[in-house]
Amino acid sequence: MIFKSLLVALLCLTTSLAQAQFNPTASDTPEPIKTESNVLTGKWQEYKRTIGKRRKAQNLEFDDPIQLRFMPDSSVRIWLADGKFYTEYYSFDRQGLHLGERYNFSFFEVNDQEMNLGDGEQTHYFKRVAKLKKQEIKKIIPGAEQGAVQTDAAFLIGKWSAYKKVDKNYSPKNYYLKDLNILEQTPNGDYAIATYYSNIVESKNYDGTGSVQKSV
């Protein structure tokens, strides 16, 4: 019964309808429409995990909480405790809630403040938060010196891969630089380069030139 109510709420994609499912005794006065596209939109922090069927479920100790951010464009950012993150598109049907092909939850229930997701063995309990406390990605490069800048061709030529980016206006639809291949130095001192950009759906390759001026 809960599943059917939730499915109707999510299919309508309105927060007000989802609230009505969780408050059947509410008056006939319509709820004000919120700016979120649906009840999932926002940031969610896992705070509890259990194993087993709900009536006999036992609490699990865990140190790898999952953090989720559902976006209005039907994408979801998934952060793991080791600093890794994934961006997927989410969907739901009679088999449950799907975060791309990475996570499938046959059981789910959600309201304005709480969300519970289960896969038949474990159940993850989330609460809505204003800010996620994400783990920092620690990048250690042997031999790297703070402040030292290498600009000679022998050091620059080769393949470079981006391991971190900062974009306050992040969107999975945007293309971001993933790989840079510095091929060779031309007679005028520039470099022939090949670049690889991608978003959540596709990738693009571009050839071009790069130059180094002092330390830039």
Side-chain angles (χ1 to χ4, degrees):
M1 187 65 183
I2 295 176
F3 174 79
K4 291 181 179 179
S5 297
L6 290 169
L7 184 60
V8 171
L10 289 172
L11 285 171
C12 292
L13 292 180
T14 61
T15 303
S16 57
L17 286 178
Q19 290 174 324
Q21 298 298 324
F22 281 86
N23 189 11
T25 60
S27 66
D28 294 334
T29 304
E31 293 284 345
I33 298 177
K34 294 187 177 183
T35 57
E36 293 90 350
S37 62
N38 63 66
V39 72
L40 288 175
T41 302
K43 302 171 183 177
W44 299 89
Q45 173 74 55
E46 184 182 11
Y47 69 93
K48 178 182 176 182
R49 192 176 299 178
T50 61
I51 188 170
K53 295 184 178 180
R54 300 195 71 189
R55 292 184 179 180
K56 298 181 179 180
Q58 297 180 349
N59 289 334
L60 281 177
E61 293 186 4
F62 63 100
D63 58 3
D64 57 342
I66 300 173
Q67 298 171 326
L68 303 172
R69 182 178 182 183
F70 291 89
M71 306 296 288
D73 62 357
S74 296
S75 66
V76 56
R77 175 64 69 86
I78 307 163
W79 283 279
L80 304 181
D82 60 1
K84 294 179 181 178
F85 64 86
Y86 305 95
T87 301
E88 302 284 354
Y89 281 108
Y90 67 89
S91 61
F92 48 90
D93 53 30
R94 295 188 179 277
Q95 280 69 50
L97 174 66
H98 313 286
L99 309 184
E101 297 182 356
R102 194 173 299 277
Y103 294 99
N104 296 282
F105 298 101
S106 56
F107 165 80
F108 66 96
E109 57 185 5
V110 60
N111 62 24
D112 269 352
Q113 300 301 322
E114 297 279 338
M115 178 173 63
N116 305 326
L117 304 176
D119 58 9
E121 295 182 1
Q122 296 186 8
T123 302
H124 304 262
Y125 296 81
F126 296 82
K127 60 182 177 181
R128 187 185 294 277
V129 296
K131 185 177 181 179
L132 295 171
K133 297 180 180 179
K134 296 186 288 294
Q135 297 284 342
E136 292 291 333
I137 301 176
K138 296 182 179 180
K139 188 70 174 180
I140 300 176
I141 305 175
E145 299 179 31
Q146 185 176 0
V149 178
Q150 291 275 13
T151 60
D152 58 279
F155 177 81
L156 293 175
I157 291 176
K159 294 183 178 180
W160 299 82
S161 179
Y163 72 91
K164 183 178 180 180
K165 61 180 177 291
V166 177
D167 183 2
K168 294 182 179 180
N169 298 315
Y170 170 82
S171 169
K173 296 181 180 179
N174 292 343
Y175 288 88
Y176 294 98
L177 178 63
K178 299 292 185 180
D179 294 298
L180 168 65
N181 190 4
I182 301 178
L183 302 171
E184 61 182 356
Q185 191 171 26
T186 62
N188 64 0
D190 291 338
Y191 293 88
I193 62 172
T195 60
Y196 170 79
Y197 290 80
S198 70
N199 63 11
I200 193 173
V201 177
E202 61 180 353
S203 61
K204 295 181 178 181
N205 296 286
Y206 298 101
D207 295 331
T209 58
S211 61
V212 176
Q213 299 178 0
K214 296 184 178 179
S215 60
V216 178

